[in-house]
Amino acid sequence: MLENKIEQALNDQIAMEGYASFLYLSMASWCEQQGLEGTSQFFYRQSAEEHDHMMRIFRYILEMDGKAVSPEVKQPPQKFESIQKIFDDVYEHEQKVTRSISKLVELADEMDDHTTYQFLQWFVLEQREEETLVRSILDKLKIIGDGPQSLYFIDKEVTMINEREGGSPGE
Ligand code: FEO
């Protein structure tokens, strides 16, 4: 059984993960329209992963006999300035998610909810990996640049990173 406060915080996290899934889907669409096939595949995969994160929490709440809430759909931006701006935004968003997960961990700890505390450890690790992944792409962008001539090379780099991370389940 979950305390109301924890259940509410977990449902807020569901909404955050759901939004991330739609945000990355929007980025995938924009990248595909720009002819950045590899980068769009990267974002389809990220979108699917965020959906998986959302469902992990959703299933957990129900397993704990709570009420999992399907979140409101807020439309993410449809247009993006540049590849650099996209990855800056992704990094910022992932840091926000990390802070939110940390607060959830703190709350579970304060409320002596060891089961939720344990459940959240997977997310702590996942966030660390996601931030590292995005930072590695930002580092590449710093070297390659994001001018028109660089886009081909960026797309190739992101394709390689995507394949290393496990392909493109977005298809
Ligand atoms: Fe599930 Fe990338 O936050």
Side-chain angles (χ1 to χ4, degrees):
M1 191 71 191
L2 294 166
E3 294 283 349
N4 283 345
K5 213 171 161 185
I6 294 264
E7 186 180 292
Q8 179 61 53
L10 287 168
N11 271 312
D12 290 347
Q13 193 63 37
I14 284 179
M16 196 178 236
E17 304 288 347
Y19 180 76
S21 178
F22 283 121
L23 175 63
Y24 296 160
L25 192 60
S26 196
M27 288 172 171
S29 171
W30 186 84
C31 289
E32 196 166 329
Q33 290 168 56
Q34 310 305 308
L36 299 165
E37 185 61 30
T39 314
S40 75
Q41 289 304 323
F42 172 83
F43 280 115
Y44 282 125
R45 191 176 60 76
Q46 290 301 114
S47 176
E49 277 198 10
E50 298 301 349
H51 183 263
D52 174 67
H53 297 172
M54 177 181 84
M55 289 310 297
R56 273 176 190 258
I57 306 170
F58 200 89
R59 297 295 330 153
Y60 175 74
I61 295 175
L62 291 169
E63 275 165 25
M64 297 298 286
D65 205 21
K67 281 192 196 128
V69 179
S70 178
E72 186 182 359
V73 179
K74 184 178 149 214
Q75 190 170 40
Q78 304 296 303
K79 283 186 191 157
F80 302 92
E81 249 171 60
S82 65
I83 278 289
Q84 177 74 52
K85 180 78 172 76
I86 278 193
F87 281 104
D88 284 341
D89 288 354
V90 171
Y91 191 49
E92 198 178 303
H93 189 77
E94 288 302 328
Q95 286 177 307
K96 197 170 142 193
V97 174
T98 301
R99 286 195 294 276
S100 178
I101 294 286
S102 295
K103 278 196 182 147
L104 256 172
V105 170
E106 274 169 34
L107 182 65
D109 191 32
E110 273 166 27
M111 299 189 76
D112 287 330
D113 182 345
H114 303 291
T115 314
T116 301
Y117 183 91
Q118 190 63 35
F119 166 74
L120 290 169
Q121 297 312 303
W122 183 90
F123 286 87
V124 171
L125 191 62
E126 178 70 8
Q127 279 313 117
R128 198 180 80 194
E129 285 174 3
E130 291 210 337
E131 283 196 26
T132 305
L133 176 66
V134 181
R135 258 203 321 274
S136 74
I137 296 173
L138 284 170
D139 287 345
K140 292 272 187 259
L141 270 165
K142 240 185 249 163
I143 299 165
I144 303 172
D146 76 336
Q149 289 92 342
S150 309
L151 290 177
Y152 171 78
F153 296 103
I154 291 166
D155 201 46
K156 261 182 111 99
E157 281 292 335
V158 178
T159 301
M160 263 158 44
I161 289 169
N162 194 34
E163 283 169 359
R164 201 176 64 215
E165 291 291 313
S168 50
E171 289 205 310

